[in-house]
Protein backbone atom coordinates (compact mmCIF):
# COMPACT_ATOMS: atom_id res chain seq x y z
CA UNK A 1 0.00 0.00 0.00
CA UNK A 2 1.11 3.57 -0.64
CA UNK A 3 2.68 5.15 2.45
CA UNK A 4 1.42 8.64 1.58
CA UNK A 5 -2.20 7.55 1.68
CA UNK A 6 -4.53 6.17 4.30
CA UNK A 7 -7.77 5.27 2.49
CA UNK A 8 -10.50 4.44 4.96
CA UNK A 9 -14.32 4.30 4.87
CA UNK A 10 -15.84 7.34 6.59
CA UNK A 11 -19.34 5.92 6.79
CA UNK A 12 -21.40 2.94 5.71
CA UNK A 13 -25.04 2.82 4.62
CA UNK A 14 -27.17 -0.30 4.17
CA UNK A 15 -29.78 0.05 1.43
CA UNK A 16 -31.33 -3.26 2.57
CA UNK A 17 -31.52 -4.70 -0.92
CA UNK A 18 -29.13 -5.95 -3.62
CA UNK A 19 -27.61 -3.18 -5.75
CA UNK A 20 -26.54 -3.61 -9.36
CA UNK A 21 -26.61 0.05 -10.38
CA UNK A 22 -26.20 3.29 -8.47
CA UNK A 23 -25.87 6.92 -9.49
CA UNK A 24 -25.22 9.75 -7.05
CA UNK A 25 -24.71 13.50 -6.85
CA UNK A 26 -24.09 16.04 -4.06
CA UNK A 27 -27.09 18.19 -3.08
CA UNK A 28 -27.16 21.66 -1.50
CA UNK A 29 -30.05 22.26 0.91
CA UNK A 30 -29.01 25.89 1.34
CA UNK A 31 -25.90 28.06 0.82
CA UNK A 32 -22.41 26.80 1.62
CA UNK A 33 -23.17 23.17 0.73
CA UNK A 34 -23.28 20.41 -0.21
CA UNK A 35 -25.25 19.08 2.75
CA UNK A 36 -26.47 15.73 1.40
CA UNK A 37 -26.15 13.35 -1.50
CA UNK A 38 -28.81 11.89 -3.75
CA UNK A 39 -28.74 8.26 -4.85
CA UNK A 40 -30.65 6.49 -7.63
CA UNK A 41 -30.36 2.71 -7.43
CA UNK A 42 -31.84 -0.68 -8.33
CA UNK A 43 -30.93 -4.34 -7.97
CA UNK A 44 -30.35 -4.74 -11.72
CA UNK A 45 -27.44 -3.46 -13.74
CA UNK A 46 -28.20 -0.32 -15.76
CA UNK A 47 -30.79 -1.07 -18.47
CA UNK A 48 -29.66 0.20 -21.88
CA UNK A 49 -32.23 1.06 -24.60
CA UNK A 50 -30.15 -0.51 -27.40
CA UNK A 51 -32.10 -3.66 -28.33
CA UNK A 52 -29.04 -5.95 -28.20
CA UNK A 53 -28.37 -4.77 -24.62
CA UNK A 54 -31.89 -4.19 -23.27
CA UNK A 55 -33.26 -6.66 -20.71
CA UNK A 56 -36.35 -6.82 -18.53
CA UNK A 57 -35.46 -5.54 -15.05
CA UNK A 58 -36.44 -7.45 -11.92
CA UNK A 59 -36.46 -4.38 -9.67
CA UNK A 60 -37.65 -0.79 -9.60
CA UNK A 61 -35.59 2.40 -9.42
CA UNK A 62 -35.43 4.12 -6.04
CA UNK A 63 -34.39 7.66 -5.17
CA UNK A 64 -33.00 8.29 -1.70
CA UNK A 65 -31.39 11.32 -0.05
CA UNK A 66 -28.81 10.90 2.72
CA UNK A 67 -27.23 13.56 4.89
CA UNK A 68 -23.46 13.66 5.30
CA UNK A 69 -23.67 11.44 8.38
CA UNK A 70 -25.34 8.73 6.31
CA UNK A 71 -28.80 9.29 7.77
CA UNK A 72 -31.68 8.63 5.38
CA UNK A 73 -33.76 11.79 4.88
CA UNK A 74 -36.32 10.22 2.53
CA UNK A 75 -36.77 7.50 -0.07
CA UNK A 76 -39.06 7.08 -3.07
CA UNK A 77 -39.76 3.98 -5.15
CA UNK A 78 -40.49 5.09 -8.73
CA UNK A 79 -42.45 1.93 -9.53
CA UNK A 80 -42.74 -0.34 -12.55
CA UNK A 81 -43.39 2.46 -15.01
CA UNK A 82 -39.83 3.83 -14.81
CA UNK A 83 -37.19 1.73 -16.55
CA UNK A 84 -34.13 1.64 -14.25
CA UNK A 85 -31.61 2.97 -16.74
CA UNK A 86 -29.80 6.29 -16.94
CA UNK A 87 -31.03 7.06 -20.47
CA UNK A 88 -34.64 6.39 -19.51
CA UNK A 89 -34.50 8.29 -16.22
CA UNK A 90 -31.81 10.96 -15.76
CA UNK A 91 -31.72 12.59 -12.32
CA UNK A 92 -30.24 16.03 -11.62
CA UNK A 93 -30.10 18.34 -8.57
CA UNK A 94 -30.41 21.97 -9.71
CA UNK A 95 -31.53 25.21 -8.07
CA UNK A 96 -33.69 26.72 -10.80
CA UNK A 97 -35.77 29.08 -8.63
CA UNK A 98 -32.72 30.59 -6.92
CA UNK A 99 -33.79 29.94 -3.32
CA UNK A 100 -30.45 28.35 -2.41
CA UNK A 101 -31.82 24.79 -2.35
CA UNK A 102 -31.25 22.42 -5.24
CA UNK A 103 -34.53 20.94 -6.38
CA UNK A 104 -34.33 17.39 -7.71
CA UNK A 105 -35.35 16.86 -11.34
CA UNK A 106 -35.96 13.53 -13.05
CA UNK A 107 -37.95 11.89 -15.86
CA UNK A 108 -40.95 10.04 -14.47
CA UNK A 109 -43.61 7.89 -16.13
CA UNK A 110 -47.15 8.25 -14.80
CA UNK A 111 -48.38 5.01 -16.40
CA UNK A 112 -46.99 2.01 -14.46
CA UNK A 113 -48.55 -0.42 -16.96
CA UNK A 114 -46.62 0.89 -19.96
CA UNK A 115 -42.94 1.62 -19.16
CA UNK A 116 -42.21 2.65 -22.77
CA UNK A 117 -45.33 4.79 -23.13
CA UNK A 118 -43.82 8.18 -23.95
CA UNK A 119 -47.16 9.97 -23.83
CA UNK A 120 -47.11 9.69 -20.02
CA UNK A 121 -43.47 10.69 -19.50
CA UNK A 122 -43.05 13.88 -17.44
CA UNK A 123 -40.28 16.05 -16.07
CA UNK A 124 -40.85 15.90 -12.33
CA UNK A 125 -39.51 18.21 -9.63
CA UNK A 126 -39.03 17.14 -6.00
CA UNK A 127 -38.57 19.14 -2.83
CA UNK A 128 -35.05 18.17 -1.69
CA UNK A 129 -36.02 18.29 2.01
CA UNK A 130 -38.95 15.90 1.76
CA UNK A 131 -38.78 14.14 -1.61
CA UNK A 132 -42.35 15.21 -2.34
CA UNK A 133 -43.42 16.21 -5.85
CA UNK A 134 -43.69 19.97 -6.40
CA UNK A 135 -44.26 20.03 -10.15
CA UNK A 136 -44.77 17.92 -13.27
CA UNK A 137 -44.53 18.92 -16.92
CA UNK A 138 -44.88 16.84 -20.11
CA UNK A 139 -41.52 15.50 -21.23
CA UNK A 140 -40.66 16.81 -24.74
CA UNK A 141 -40.59 14.18 -27.48
CA UNK A 142 -38.51 13.77 -30.61
CA UNK A 143 -40.33 14.94 -33.75
CA UNK A 144 -40.74 11.49 -35.32
CA UNK A 145 -40.59 7.82 -34.46
CA UNK A 146 -37.13 6.32 -34.10
CA UNK A 147 -35.72 3.04 -32.85
CA UNK A 148 -35.90 2.10 -29.17
CA UNK A 149 -32.20 2.92 -28.80
CA UNK A 150 -32.57 6.37 -30.36
CA UNK A 151 -35.88 7.29 -28.72
CA UNK A 152 -34.95 6.76 -25.08
CA UNK A 153 -31.95 9.06 -24.77
CA UNK A 154 -32.94 11.66 -22.18
CA UNK A 155 -30.81 14.33 -20.51
CA UNK A 156 -31.26 16.91 -17.75
CA UNK A 157 -28.57 19.58 -17.32
CA UNK A 158 -28.25 22.96 -15.63
CA UNK A 159 -26.02 26.01 -15.61
CA UNK A 160 -25.98 29.78 -15.39
CA UNK A 161 -26.35 32.70 -17.77
CA UNK A 162 -24.83 35.69 -15.96
CA UNK A 163 -26.12 34.37 -12.62
CA UNK A 164 -29.57 33.48 -13.99
CA UNK A 165 -30.09 29.71 -13.64
CA UNK A 166 -31.11 27.81 -16.78
CA UNK A 167 -32.38 24.23 -16.76
CA UNK A 168 -31.84 22.23 -19.95
CA UNK A 169 -33.82 19.18 -21.00
CA UNK A 170 -32.72 17.22 -24.05
CA UNK A 171 -33.64 14.18 -26.11
CA UNK A 172 -31.72 12.16 -28.69
CA UNK A 173 -28.10 11.36 -29.39
CA UNK A 174 -27.68 9.75 -32.79
CA UNK A 175 -30.24 11.19 -35.27
CA UNK A 176 -32.82 13.89 -34.41
CA UNK A 177 -31.80 15.83 -31.30
CA UNK A 178 -33.83 18.42 -29.38
CA UNK A 179 -32.84 20.70 -26.50
CA UNK A 180 -34.98 23.06 -24.41
CA UNK A 181 -33.93 25.81 -22.03
CA UNK A 182 -36.16 26.75 -19.06
CA UNK A 183 -36.14 29.97 -17.02
CA UNK A 184 -36.39 30.50 -13.27
CA UNK A 185 -40.22 30.33 -13.24
CA UNK A 186 -40.15 27.30 -15.52
CA UNK A 187 -41.15 29.20 -18.62
CA UNK A 188 -39.67 28.21 -22.01
CA UNK A 189 -36.53 30.22 -22.66
CA UNK A 190 -35.47 28.60 -25.93
CA UNK A 191 -35.87 25.43 -27.94
CA UNK A 192 -33.69 24.02 -30.71
CA UNK A 193 -33.86 21.02 -33.01
CA UNK A 194 -30.88 19.43 -34.75
CA UNK A 195 -32.25 17.23 -37.52
CA UNK A 196 -30.92 13.82 -38.42
CA UNK A 197 -29.71 15.18 -41.78
CA UNK A 198 -28.21 18.41 -40.46
CA UNK A 199 -24.44 18.73 -40.89
CA UNK A 200 -22.04 18.38 -37.99
CA UNK A 201 -21.57 16.05 -35.07
CA UNK A 202 -24.27 14.22 -33.13
CA UNK A 203 -24.55 14.28 -29.35
CA UNK A 204 -22.27 12.62 -26.81
CA UNK A 205 -22.86 10.30 -23.88
CA UNK A 206 -20.81 12.52 -21.59
CA UNK A 207 -22.14 16.08 -21.73
CA UNK A 208 -20.65 18.96 -19.78
CA UNK A 209 -21.69 22.50 -18.88
CA UNK A 210 -18.85 25.04 -18.90
CA UNK A 211 -18.23 28.74 -19.54
CA UNK A 212 -15.68 28.11 -22.29
CA UNK A 213 -15.11 31.75 -23.27
CA UNK A 214 -15.33 33.30 -19.79
CA UNK A 215 -18.18 35.71 -20.59
CA UNK A 216 -20.32 34.67 -17.64
CA UNK A 217 -22.69 32.54 -19.71
CA UNK A 218 -22.32 28.76 -19.52
CA UNK A 219 -22.37 26.61 -22.63
CA UNK A 220 -23.44 23.01 -23.14
CA UNK A 221 -20.97 20.79 -24.98
CA UNK A 222 -23.36 18.67 -27.02
CA UNK A 223 -20.68 16.50 -28.56
CA UNK A 224 -18.56 18.88 -30.65
CA UNK A 225 -21.38 21.45 -30.68
CA UNK A 226 -21.18 24.35 -28.25
CA UNK A 227 -24.59 25.82 -27.31
CA UNK A 228 -25.17 28.96 -25.22
CA UNK A 229 -27.42 28.54 -22.20
CA UNK A 230 -28.91 32.04 -22.39
CA UNK A 231 -30.27 31.82 -25.95
CA UNK A 232 -29.75 28.25 -27.21
CA UNK A 233 -27.63 29.68 -30.03
CA UNK A 234 -24.91 27.46 -31.44
CA UNK A 235 -21.54 29.08 -30.81
CA UNK A 236 -19.71 26.60 -33.03
CA UNK A 237 -19.71 23.01 -34.22
CA UNK A 238 -16.15 21.75 -34.42
CA UNK A 239 -15.23 19.87 -37.61
CA UNK A 240 -18.75 20.54 -38.92
CA UNK A 241 -17.96 19.57 -42.50
CA UNK A 242 -15.82 16.51 -41.81
CA UNK A 243 -17.59 14.68 -38.98
CA UNK A 244 -21.23 13.55 -38.78
CA UNK A 245 -20.92 10.97 -36.03
CA UNK A 246 -21.39 10.63 -32.31
CA UNK A 247 -18.65 11.15 -29.73
CA UNK A 248 -18.63 9.07 -26.58
CA UNK A 249 -17.08 11.95 -24.62
CA UNK A 250 -16.87 15.74 -24.75
CA UNK A 251 -14.65 16.61 -21.80
CA UNK A 252 -13.68 20.22 -20.86
CA UNK A 253 -10.14 20.76 -19.60
CA UNK A 254 -8.73 23.89 -17.95
CA UNK A 255 -5.15 24.99 -18.60
CA UNK A 256 -3.97 26.61 -15.39
CA UNK A 257 -1.00 28.32 -17.06
CA UNK A 258 -3.01 30.22 -19.69
CA UNK A 259 -6.32 30.37 -17.83
CA UNK A 260 -8.09 29.04 -20.93
CA UNK A 261 -10.51 26.19 -21.49
CA UNK A 262 -10.15 23.43 -24.08
CA UNK A 263 -12.23 20.32 -24.68
CA UNK A 264 -11.27 16.77 -25.50
CA UNK A 265 -13.39 14.31 -27.52
CA UNK A 266 -13.37 10.58 -28.25
CA UNK A 267 -15.35 9.55 -31.33
CA UNK A 268 -17.51 6.46 -31.43
CA UNK A 269 -19.41 6.38 -34.74
CA UNK A 270 -18.90 7.56 -38.38
CA UNK A 271 -15.63 5.72 -38.89
CA UNK A 272 -14.96 7.80 -42.00
CA UNK A 273 -14.44 10.85 -39.82
CA UNK A 274 -10.87 11.41 -38.66
CA UNK A 275 -9.18 12.00 -36.33
CA UNK A 276 -10.87 9.74 -33.76
CA UNK A 277 -9.44 11.62 -30.76
CA UNK A 278 -9.07 15.40 -30.72
CA UNK A 279 -8.52 18.49 -28.59
CA UNK A 280 -10.21 21.81 -29.43
CA UNK A 281 -9.76 25.32 -28.08
CA UNK A 282 -12.55 27.45 -26.63
CA UNK A 283 -13.52 28.64 -30.12
CA UNK A 284 -13.82 25.14 -31.57
CA UNK A 285 -10.55 25.16 -33.51
CA UNK A 286 -8.78 21.82 -33.48
CA UNK A 287 -5.47 21.92 -31.59
CA UNK A 288 -4.46 18.34 -32.38
CA UNK A 289 -5.91 15.00 -33.43
CA UNK A 290 -4.83 11.37 -33.23
CA UNK A 291 -5.86 7.89 -34.38
CA UNK A 292 -7.35 7.31 -37.82
CA UNK A 293 -9.92 4.59 -37.17
CA UNK A 294 -11.97 2.73 -34.59
CA UNK A 295 -14.69 3.03 -31.94
CA UNK A 296 -13.09 5.19 -29.24
CA UNK A 297 -14.69 4.87 -25.82
CA UNK A 298 -14.50 5.91 -22.16
CA UNK A 299 -12.06 8.82 -22.47
CA UNK A 300 -11.27 11.45 -19.86
CA UNK A 301 -8.63 14.04 -18.92
CA UNK A 302 -6.94 14.25 -15.53
CA UNK A 303 -3.98 15.82 -13.76
CA UNK A 304 -1.64 12.83 -13.76
CA UNK A 305 1.50 14.46 -15.12
CA UNK A 306 4.31 16.22 -13.27
CA UNK A 307 3.16 19.29 -11.31
CA UNK A 308 -0.44 18.50 -12.14
CA UNK A 309 0.09 18.28 -15.88
CA UNK A 310 -2.95 17.21 -17.90
CA UNK A 311 -3.12 13.72 -19.37
CA UNK A 312 -5.95 12.41 -21.58
CA UNK A 313 -6.81 8.80 -22.22
CA UNK A 314 -8.87 6.86 -24.74
CA UNK A 315 -9.70 3.20 -25.34
CA UNK A 316 -10.32 1.75 -28.78
CA UNK A 317 -12.66 -1.21 -28.52
CA UNK A 318 -13.55 -3.97 -30.93
CA UNK A 319 -16.84 -4.96 -29.30
CA UNK A 320 -19.02 -4.02 -26.36
CA UNK A 321 -21.60 -6.17 -24.58
CA UNK A 322 -24.02 -5.16 -21.86
CA UNK A 323 -26.75 -6.95 -19.94
CA UNK A 324 -27.80 -8.08 -16.47
CA UNK A 325 -24.25 -9.22 -15.70
CA UNK A 326 -22.64 -5.85 -16.47
CA UNK A 327 -20.86 -3.99 -19.27
CA UNK A 328 -17.78 -5.52 -20.89
CA UNK A 329 -15.40 -4.73 -23.74
CA UNK A 330 -13.35 -6.88 -26.07
CA UNK A 331 -10.43 -6.12 -28.38
CA UNK A 332 -9.24 -3.14 -26.36
CA UNK A 333 -6.28 -0.85 -27.10
CA UNK A 334 -5.37 1.89 -24.63
CA UNK A 335 -3.94 5.30 -25.55
CA UNK A 336 -2.74 8.20 -23.43
CA UNK A 337 -1.63 11.68 -24.49
CA UNK A 338 -0.29 14.90 -23.07
CA UNK A 339 -3.57 16.78 -23.20
CA UNK A 340 -2.37 20.15 -24.46
CA UNK A 341 0.12 18.88 -27.05
CA UNK A 342 -1.26 15.50 -28.16
CA UNK A 343 2.14 13.90 -27.60
CA UNK A 344 1.60 10.15 -26.96
CA UNK A 345 2.79 8.93 -23.57
CA UNK A 346 2.95 5.51 -21.96
CA UNK A 347 1.61 4.97 -18.48
CA UNK A 348 3.03 1.99 -16.55
CA UNK A 349 -0.44 0.54 -15.88
CA UNK A 350 -3.80 -0.05 -17.53
CA UNK A 351 -6.36 2.72 -17.29
CA UNK A 352 -9.31 0.43 -18.08
CA UNK A 353 -12.33 1.17 -15.83
CA UNK A 354 -10.31 3.86 -14.03
CA UNK A 355 -11.73 7.17 -12.78
CA UNK A 356 -9.69 10.21 -11.69
CA UNK A 357 -9.99 11.31 -8.05
CA UNK A 358 -7.82 13.56 -5.89
CA UNK A 359 -7.79 11.55 -2.67
CA UNK A 360 -5.02 13.48 -0.92
CA UNK A 361 -6.03 17.01 -1.97
CA UNK A 362 -2.73 17.97 -3.60
CA UNK A 363 -4.42 19.23 -6.79
CA UNK A 364 -3.36 16.24 -8.88
CA UNK A 365 -5.23 12.98 -9.42
CA UNK A 366 -5.06 9.43 -8.30
CA UNK A 367 -7.18 6.73 -9.95
CA UNK A 368 -9.79 4.23 -8.83
CA UNK A 369 -11.10 1.40 -11.00
CA UNK A 370 -14.63 2.55 -10.36
CA UNK A 371 -16.43 2.54 -13.72
CA UNK A 372 -19.40 0.12 -13.61
CA UNK A 373 -18.22 -3.48 -13.13
CA UNK A 374 -14.86 -2.20 -11.80
CA UNK A 375 -13.22 -3.68 -8.72
CA UNK A 376 -12.40 -0.46 -6.87
CA UNK A 377 -8.60 -0.81 -6.92
CA UNK A 378 -7.03 2.57 -6.10
CA UNK A 379 -3.72 3.68 -7.67
CA UNK A 380 -1.43 6.66 -7.36
CA UNK A 381 -0.28 8.46 -10.51
CA UNK A 382 2.70 6.08 -10.80
CA UNK A 383 0.49 2.99 -10.67
CA UNK A 384 1.23 1.95 -7.09
CA UNK A 385 -1.74 0.35 -5.35
CA UNK A 386 -2.84 2.62 -2.49
CA UNK A 387 -6.09 0.93 -1.51
CA UNK A 388 -8.76 -1.64 -2.32
CA UNK A 389 -12.33 -0.36 -2.29
CA UNK A 390 -13.66 -3.64 -3.67
CA UNK A 391 -16.54 -2.18 -5.71
CA UNK A 392 -17.47 0.28 -8.46
CA UNK A 393 -17.93 3.98 -7.73
CA UNK A 394 -20.92 6.27 -8.22
CA UNK A 395 -19.35 9.57 -7.15
CA UNK A 396 -15.79 10.91 -6.90
CA UNK A 397 -15.75 14.56 -5.84
CA UNK A 398 -15.61 16.78 -2.75
CA UNK A 399 -19.02 16.19 -1.21
CA UNK A 400 -17.96 15.94 2.46
CA UNK A 401 -16.58 18.81 4.63
CA UNK A 402 -13.04 17.47 4.81
CA UNK A 403 -9.81 17.74 2.78
CA UNK A 404 -9.40 15.89 -0.51
CA UNK A 405 -12.08 14.31 -2.64
CA UNK A 406 -14.24 11.45 -1.45
CA UNK A 407 -15.50 8.36 -3.24
CA UNK A 408 -18.92 6.73 -2.88
CA UNK A 409 -18.61 2.98 -3.63
CA UNK A 410 -21.57 0.59 -3.93
CA UNK A 411 -21.58 -3.13 -3.24
CA UNK A 412 -23.79 -5.99 -4.51
CA UNK A 413 -25.18 -6.66 -1.02
CA UNK A 414 -26.61 -3.14 -0.83
CA UNK A 415 -23.89 -1.50 1.24
CA UNK A 416 -22.64 2.00 0.36
CA UNK A 417 -19.30 3.19 1.70
CA UNK A 418 -17.79 6.68 1.50
CA UNK A 419 -14.00 6.40 1.23
CA UNK A 420 -11.46 9.15 1.88
CA UNK A 421 -7.78 9.66 2.57
CA UNK A 422 -7.48 10.40 6.29
CA UNK A 423 -4.11 12.08 5.64
CA UNK A 424 -5.48 14.46 3.01
CA UNK A 425 -4.62 18.17 3.06
CA UNK A 426 -5.99 20.56 0.46
CA UNK A 427 -3.31 22.46 -1.46
CA UNK A 428 -3.84 25.90 -3.00
CA UNK A 429 -4.18 24.21 -6.40
CA UNK A 430 -6.89 21.92 -5.04
CA UNK A 431 -8.77 24.80 -3.42
CA UNK A 432 -8.69 26.73 -6.70
CA UNK A 433 -10.05 23.65 -8.49
CA UNK A 434 -12.94 23.23 -6.06
CA UNK A 435 -13.72 26.97 -6.33
CA UNK A 436 -13.95 26.88 -10.13
CA UNK A 437 -17.69 27.21 -10.97
CA UNK A 438 -17.28 24.29 -13.38
CA UNK A 439 -16.60 21.98 -10.44
CA UNK A 440 -19.91 22.41 -8.62
CA UNK A 441 -21.92 22.60 -11.84
CA UNK A 442 -20.65 19.30 -13.17
CA UNK A 443 -20.66 17.47 -9.83
CA UNK A 444 -24.46 17.75 -10.09
CA UNK A 445 -24.34 16.01 -13.46
CA UNK A 446 -22.77 12.87 -11.99
CA UNK A 447 -26.25 11.37 -11.58
CA UNK A 448 -27.46 12.19 -15.08
CA UNK A 449 -26.21 10.79 -18.36
CA UNK A 450 -22.91 8.98 -18.75
CA UNK A 451 -20.85 11.45 -16.73
CA UNK A 452 -18.74 8.80 -14.98
CA UNK A 453 -19.23 10.15 -11.45
CA UNK A 454 -16.17 12.40 -11.54
CA UNK A 455 -15.25 16.04 -12.18
CA UNK A 456 -11.71 15.91 -13.50
CA UNK A 457 -11.17 18.71 -16.04
CA UNK A 458 -11.02 21.73 -13.74
Amino acid sequence: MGERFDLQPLLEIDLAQPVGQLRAAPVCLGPNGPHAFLTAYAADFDVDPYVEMFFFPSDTLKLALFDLNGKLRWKRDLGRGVVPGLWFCPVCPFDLDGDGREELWFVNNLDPKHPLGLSNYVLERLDPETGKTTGQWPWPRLPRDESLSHTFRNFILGGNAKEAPVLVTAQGTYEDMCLQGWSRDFQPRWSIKIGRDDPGARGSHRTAVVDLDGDGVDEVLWGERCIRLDTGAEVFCADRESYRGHSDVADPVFDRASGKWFFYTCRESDDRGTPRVALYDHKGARVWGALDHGHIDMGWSARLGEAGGLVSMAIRIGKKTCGPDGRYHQGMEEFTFETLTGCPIKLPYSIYRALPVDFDGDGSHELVRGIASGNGEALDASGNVIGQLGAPVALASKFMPRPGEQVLAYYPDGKLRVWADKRAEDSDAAKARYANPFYATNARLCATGYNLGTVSGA
Side-chain angles (χ1 to χ4, degrees):
M1 298 292 177
E3 294 181 358
R4 287 176 45 218
F5 301 87
D6 183 13
L7 302 189
Q8 300 290 338
L10 298 181
L11 59 86
E12 180 176 288
I13 295 167
D14 189 350
L15 296 177
Q17 70 155 78
V19 173
Q21 62 169 283
L22 188 130
R23 290 173 274 151
V27 178
C28 293
L29 303 177
N32 305 314
H35 309 90
F37 56 92
L38 174 69
T39 61
Y41 62 91
D44 303 285
F45 191 75
D46 183 70
V47 181
D48 194 284
Y50 176 47
V51 292
E52 299 293 337
M53 297 180 179
F54 181 87
F55 61 92
F56 292 109
S58 65
D59 191 24
T60 55
L61 190 67
K62 287 87 174 175
L63 302 181
L65 189 82
F66 296 91
D67 69 19
L68 299 186
N69 294 314
K71 181 182 178 181
L72 177 67
R73 299 287 294 266
W74 54 262
K75 173 182 169 182
R76 282 190 57 168
D77 188 327
L78 300 186
R80 303 300 301 181
V82 174
V83 180
L86 58 89
W87 303 121
F88 294 94
C89 180
V91 182
C92 184
F94 186 67
D95 180 14
L96 183 61
D97 60 12
D99 68 353
R101 302 186 311 155
E102 292 179 332
E103 306 90 43
L104 307 179
W105 305 83
F106 73 102
V107 176
N108 200 359
N109 177 16
L110 303 183
D111 182 358
K113 296 180 180 179
H114 299 98
L116 303 181
L118 279 172
S119 60
N120 286 287
Y121 275 41
V122 296
L123 174 68
E124 186 159 328
R125 183 184 64 200
L126 304 183
D127 183 315
E129 296 277 3
T130 65
K132 294 183 178 179
T133 300
T134 59
Q136 290 177 336
W137 300 266
W139 181 252
R141 295 176 61 172
L142 292 171
R144 48 192 159 187
D145 290 338
E146 297 189 6
S147 70
L148 180 75
S149 179
H150 291 190
T151 297
F152 293 96
R153 300 285 173 172
N154 300 318
F155 297 79
I156 304 173
L157 311 166
N160 293 288
K162 295 188 181 297
E163 300 184 359
V166 180
L167 185 76
V168 177
T169 53
Q171 306 81 36
T173 297
Y174 306 106
E175 293 189 348
D176 290 329
M177 302 177 292
C178 298
L179 297 91
Q180 305 85 29
W182 305 93
S183 62
R184 187 188 299 265
D185 54 355
F186 205 78
Q187 293 300 307
R189 183 165 181 149
W190 50 262
S191 178
I192 59 174
K193 173 192 169 186
I194 304 166
R196 65 177 67 174
D197 297 320
D198 288 348
R202 307 294 89 191
S204 55
H205 290 323
R206 186 175 189 190
T207 52
V209 175
V210 58
D211 183 5
L212 276 181
D213 55 10
D215 68 349
V217 176
D218 284 334
E219 292 89 28
V220 174
L221 284 178
W222 191 254
E224 280 87 343
R225 294 176 192 267
C226 179
I227 299 170
R228 287 179 64 92
L229 255 69
D230 57 349
T231 63
E234 185 179 287
V235 182
F236 60 77
C237 180
D239 288 344
R240 180 190 299 275
E241 302 305 321
S242 61
Y243 187 58
R244 297 288 295 272
H246 142 74
S247 289
D248 196 68
V249 164
D251 193 25
V253 288
F254 183 69
D255 176 25
R256 291 172 178 168
S258 67
K260 293 181 178 179
W261 283 97
F262 298 79
F263 71 98
Y264 171 73
T265 65
C266 296
R267 291 172 168 175
E268 181 175 328
S269 63
D270 185 11
D271 210 24
R272 299 167 297 177
T274 57
R276 307 303 293 168
V277 171
L279 183 79
Y280 301 91
D281 68 14
H282 68 280
K283 296 181 178 180
R286 193 196 305 163
V287 178
W288 59 264
L291 308 183
D292 60 3
H293 71 280
H295 173 153
I296 312 299
D297 209 301
M298 297 180 291
W300 43 250
S301 300
R303 299 188 181 279
L304 294 176
E306 293 184 7
L310 286 161
V311 172
S312 294
M313 78 84 164
I315 297 180
R316 181 159 57 199
I317 64 173
K319 184 180 179 182
K320 176 166 58 177
T321 58
C322 183
D325 58 340
R327 184 178 294 111
Y328 300 95
H329 305 85
Q330 294 83 40
M332 296 182 300
E333 299 174 84
E334 300 183 10
F335 304 90
T336 46
F337 309 91
E338 291 181 354
T339 300
L340 299 178
T341 67
C343 179
I345 59 175
K346 181 69 174 176
L347 296 177
Y349 49 87
S350 168
I351 39 79
Y352 183 52
R353 298 199 188 280
L355 292 175
V357 55
D358 183 6
F359 277 117
D360 62 0
D362 68 351
S364 297
H365 286 103
E366 292 76 48
L367 298 173
V368 58
R369 299 198 190 282
I371 292 178
S373 303
N375 62 10
E377 179 184 58
L379 310 171
D380 67 15
S382 298
N384 300 306
V385 176
I386 60 172
Q388 297 282 0
L389 279 59
V393 166
L395 182 60
S397 72
K398 181 184 279 292
F399 60 97
M400 305 283 281
R402 56 171 297 114
E405 291 185 318
Q406 299 82 46
V407 161
L408 175 64
Y410 59 100
Y411 299 78
D413 64 357
K415 299 292 196 305
L416 307 183
R417 295 186 181 98
V418 175
W419 292 79
D421 179 8
K422 291 198 170 181
R423 298 176 183 169
E425 295 183 14
D426 283 334
S427 68
D428 290 341
K431 293 175 182 177
R433 179 169 168 256
Y434 309 144
N436 192 313
F438 170 82
Y439 190 90
T441 296
N442 287 271
R444 301 185 192 106
L445 304 185
C446 288
T448 185
Y450 191 55
N451 284 307
L452 301 179
T454 185
V455 187
S456 60

